[in-house]
Amino acid sequence: MSFRFYTNAISQASRNFAAGLSVVGLLLIGFGFLVFVLRDLFALLAAAVFVFAGVGCGVTALKIFLAQRRLDRSIDSAEPYRENVRIHIEENRYE
């Protein structure tokens, strides 16, 4: 006499998980086989992705440098820098 401590829903969920896992495994095997057979094509695609990512990083860095340069110029021309200046504001809140 055997006792079942789990419901049918748990059994069905584990079967669905096993089926999904087997499909993912087969897809990974197929993708690995394609990479093995078409390694030159995949190497070219990977190289293209790296080149485009590098160009994108370079363009973004250039934009940041130029924006920082413009910001530094606008700050320098707006007001001269003063040393040892303290601003003290008195507020009378209870008048």
Side-chain angles (χ1 to χ4, degrees):
M1 182 175 189
S2 64
F3 294 101
R4 290 188 178 185
F5 292 110
Y6 58 91
T7 62
N8 193 19
I10 294 173
S11 177
Q12 189 65 29
S14 64
R15 284 190 183 119
N16 287 338
F17 179 74
L21 194 61
S22 66
V23 168
V24 169
L26 289 173
L27 287 173
L28 286 172
I29 290 170
F31 184 70
F33 185 69
L34 278 175
V35 169
F36 178 73
V37 171
L38 303 172
R39 69 179 67 124
D40 293 336
L41 176 67
F42 281 100
L44 184 65
L45 290 175
V49 166
F50 285 126
V51 167
F52 286 133
V55 168
C57 289
V59 168
T60 303
L62 185 64
K63 285 181 181 180
I64 291 171
F65 282 130
L66 291 176
Q68 187 63 40
R69 185 177 176 192
R70 272 186 278 148
L71 184 64
D72 288 342
R73 283 185 179 177
S74 68
I75 289 174
D76 289 341
S77 64
E79 188 175 327
Y81 179 72
R82 299 176 190 228
E83 293 183 16
N84 297 324
V85 175
R86 292 184 188 166
I87 299 174
H88 180 72
I89 299 173
E90 291 187 21
E91 293 182 14
N92 293 328
R93 293 185 185 194
Y94 300 108
E95 285 187 16

